[in-house]
Amino acid sequence: MSVPSPAVLTHQHPVTRADALARVAQFAPHAGADYAARRNLDQGAGRHDAVSRLSAALARRTVSEADVLAPVLAQHGDAAALFVSEVFWRTYFKGWLEARPFVWHGWLGALDRIDARLGQDDALAARHLSAIRGETGIDCFDHWIGELAATGYLHNWARMQVASIWIFTLGLPWELGARHFLHHLIDADAASNTLSWRWVAGLHTRGKTYLADASRIMRMTGGRFAPTGLATRALVPDAPDLPPALPLRDTIAPDGGLPTLVWITRDDCSLETEPALHGLPVRAVAVIDPGDAPEADRTALADGLARAAAHWQVPACHVAGAEALAALATECGARQVVTGRVPTGPGQDALIAARGALRRAGLVLTEHTRAWDRHAWPHATRGFFACREKIPALLAQAGLAAGKTPQ
Ligand SMILES: Cc1cc2nc3c(=O)[nH]c(=O)nc-3n(C[C@H](O)[C@H](O)[C@H](O)COP(=O)(O)OP(=O)(O)OC[C@H]3O[C@@H](n4cnc5c(N)ncnc54)[C@H](O)[C@@H]3O)c2cc1C
């Protein structure tokens, strides 16, 4: 095992572009052999320096996958294969869910039904409460639930143990665990979260479950935990077979000649970095007030708005909602609103509201799909390993190759 590297940044989970790029620069030297050797070690809160902690920025597209991978590939080439493939897991999950929005809607529907059951089944409600309070008596689980609440982050390996214990030892519905994570994670991401929970439960790769093991937990955490009473069998939860994947949702692409209002959402906070949008006649940029959204969302949106306004040299505006967005677009003479493609997940409600309000105002809502997604998502149809085979070609298509920085 290589020598542990020093903690790589003062800010634990950067969400502004400047902070995230600083983290990329500091982490890139560790993304090769170091990462491969140490990435699965859970060293505890404040000591997760074997992993990049870039997920909060990547989930909001404060930095892109290419921003992260360019320096990593330039420094390590093929020695960074593991890190590169981890980054592609995010892309894969996003593309997979995009072709199966019914999995997201099915999860939302299941939550309604389970919430109703929680009101009637005292034993289930008590088990659930002890899990979300971290009072189960299972040392590692209770610790990780506390770490999640206190820091908004868990190491990937810890997430797998928590999800497995939640489902197989505590016998709780995976859907409730996915909600708990989504509410607390600083990197909350509809696709990575929902599909990782399904993966642990044995629903993503049908029948292939992930069972937490006490001695492995002891070893991987440097002896910090010695859990007892963990399930020794993993029973896949009942779930209906999924319908086939759908064609990717059609979007209206921006018209390069139309006066434009740029709308920054949590799903893409660095639209100004997209060369395809540089020539747009932009009149203003806006965010919809995120209400009581977490601090990380507010920071990322404010940062994205300021950068976009500086890039296009236009006013930065805050609006209260979809109707106000449409009013602003009309007022500044825009004929279209351009936003980053909103993937399947919580952002779609705002998208639908904005589309309706803009249509009523005689305006069109267009979505910019990044080339990264356009190229990769069609390969996210089956398991990850089929997608992984395409990574060299996808990197080449993005102008990224070992030892080269993109043009
Ligand atoms: C039950 C469960 C729930 C999860 N929920 C989320 C979530 O809501 N949001 C989220 O961003 N990730 C989620 N993940 C995936 C993964 O745990 C995090 O992306 C990762 O821990 C983030 O830390 P990092 O940036 O330091 O990762 P690093 O190890 O430095 O990886 C670099 C990047 O690769 C991607 N990545 C790494 N591992 C995975 C993975 N297993 N799946 C998908 N992408 C990955 C992320 O973009 C990450 O930032 C979940 C995993 C599990 C098991």
Side-chain angles (χ1 to χ4, degrees), residues 35 52-55 86 90 153 156 159 187 189 193:
Y35 181 80
S52 71
R53 286 160 294 138
L54 281 164
S55 51
E86 291 305 321
R90 171 183 299 283
Y153 182 81
N156 178 63
R159 295 182 201 204
D187 59 26
D189 177 281
N193 190 57

Side-chain angles (χ1 to χ4, degrees), residues 261-262 283-289 305 309 314-319 325 328:
L261 172 71
V262 170
R283 299 282 172 88
V285 295
V287 294
I288 293 182
D289 181 5
L305 182 69
V314 293
C317 309
H318 293 260
V319 295
L325 185 76
L328 173 66

Side-chain angles (χ1 to χ4, degrees), residues 200-214:
V200 171
L203 296 170
H204 188 70
T205 310
R206 274 276 165 169
K208 191 172 176 293
T209 51
Y210 179 83
L211 189 61
D213 172 79

Side-chain angles (χ1 to χ4, degrees), residues 8 117-118 158 168 219 282 284 322 353 401:
V8 282
R117 253 177 73 204
L118 281 175
F168 302 121
R219 200 170 62 248
V282 175

Side-chain angles (χ1 to χ4, degrees), residues 35 51-55 58 83 86-87 89-90 93 153-156 159-160 163 181-182 185 187-189 192-193 196-197:
Y35 181 80
V51 288
S52 71
R53 286 160 294 138
L54 281 164
S55 51
L58 280 164
F83 183 78
E86 291 305 321
V87 171
W89 267 103
R90 171 183 299 283
F93 275 150
Y153 182 81
L154 279 185
H155 185 285
N156 178 63
R159 295 182 201 204
M160 286 163 54
F181 268 30
L182 208 61
L185 283 170
D187 59 26
D189 177 281
S192 288
N193 190 57
S196 294
W197 275 86

